[in-house]
């Protein structure tokens, strides 16, 4: 059974850092496209970043240069390192798997709230 | 970036009646080489992750009730719920996955019971 389980969210001050983790089971992270998608309070869904099976990464303009997506193949884990956090980064963050090397998302984690506030 | 615009922002439909949600992309998301539209629909309920309903504009996911259907091509797409059930109350999002990132979502359409 495919599962994605996130951890690492919480409250952080503006300018601070946080790392989100996503534990995958039922499939191999290195063989798949994995993305982070977020939803700010009362807002819609926003794609944040992707890591392809070959290792290439892409970012939304709103996070490029501040966030880094990575994976640990040995642990079957996905990560999102978030630096220089801003209030507007406050959101529920989801890890999501792209179906068959496409970029629509068939499995999602349960979501992890990140709150950036002083 | 490809902007996706949904209409309406919200709608209320009586149980058993039809609900129709529109999604328009600023540019075509139809790849003529394979004749596929790179458009997905998701259902989002509070406290839950999004659920994939439809991919390739019209391919329903396994386990999704057949009252959900997707149609359209190029820049104009529609999600139809043929007979609204209480469990369909949710926010629905379209998403394009055409070409290179960023992949973008519509702003969402909230569906309620009238």
């Amino acid at each position: 059974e495919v599962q994605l389980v996130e951890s690492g969210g919480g409250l952080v001050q503006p300018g601070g850092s946080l790392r989100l983790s996503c534990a995958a089971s039922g499939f191999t992270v290195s063989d798949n496209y994995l993305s982070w998608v977020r939803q700010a309070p009362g807002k819609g869904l926003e794609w944040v970043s992707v890591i392809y099976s070959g290792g290439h990464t892409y970012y939304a303009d709103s996070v490029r240069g501040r966030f880094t997506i990575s994976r640990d193949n040995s642990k079957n884990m996905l990560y999102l390192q978030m630096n220089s956090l801003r209030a507007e980064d406050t959101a529920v963050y989801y890890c999501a798997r792209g179906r068959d090397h496409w970029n629509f998302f068939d499995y999602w984690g349960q979501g992890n709230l990140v709150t950036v506030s002083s | 970036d490809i902007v996706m615009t949904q209409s309406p922002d919200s709608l209320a439909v009586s149980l058993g009646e039809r609900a129709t949600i529109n999604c328009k992309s600023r540019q075509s998301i139809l790849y003529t080489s394979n004749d596929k539209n790179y458009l997905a629909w998701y259902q989002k309920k509070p406290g839950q992750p999004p659920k994939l309903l439809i991919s390739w504009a019209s391919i329903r996911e396994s386990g999704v009730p057949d009252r959900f259907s997707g149609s359209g091509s190029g820049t104009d797409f529609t999600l139809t719920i043929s007979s609204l059930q209480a469990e369909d109350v949710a926010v629905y999002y379209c998403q394009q996955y055409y070409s290179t990132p960023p992949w973008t979502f519509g702003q969402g359409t909230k569906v309620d019971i009238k």
Side-chain angles (χ1 to χ4, degrees), chain B residues 28-53:
Chain B
S28 177
I29 53 175
L30 168 66
Y31 250 128
T32 53
S33 59
N34 60 11
D35 200 31
K36 284 180 178 282
N37 288 282
Y38 286 53
L39 191 283
W41 288 98
Y42 300 88
Q43 177 190 66
K44 177 74 169 67
K45 296 181 179 180
Q48 297 182 22
K51 175 185 177 182
L52 177 65
L53 297 176

Side-chain angles (χ1 to χ4, degrees), chain A residues 27-93:
Chain A
F27 71 99
T28 303
V29 295
S30 60
D31 291 340
N32 284 267
Y33 294 0
L34 290 171
S35 280
W36 290 95
V37 177
R38 68 184 180 184
Q39 184 175 34
K43 303 295 185 181
L45 299 170
E46 179 189 19
W47 173 82
V48 172
S49 181
V50 65
I51 183 165
Y52 284 157
S53 52
H56 288 94
T57 59
Y58 294 90
Y59 299 91
D61 288 346
S62 57
V63 306
R64 188 177 296 114
R66 300 187 298 122
F67 289 13
T68 302
I69 191 171
S70 63
R71 68 187 183 213
D72 185 329
N73 296 340
S74 67
K75 296 181 179 179
N76 219 35
M77 295 281 294
L78 175 73
Y79 303 102
L80 186 67
Q81 177 66 43
M82 303 184 292
N83 299 332
S84 302
L85 282 161
R86 307 166 179 167
E88 55 264 36
D89 295 318
T90 294
V92 175
Y93 286 74

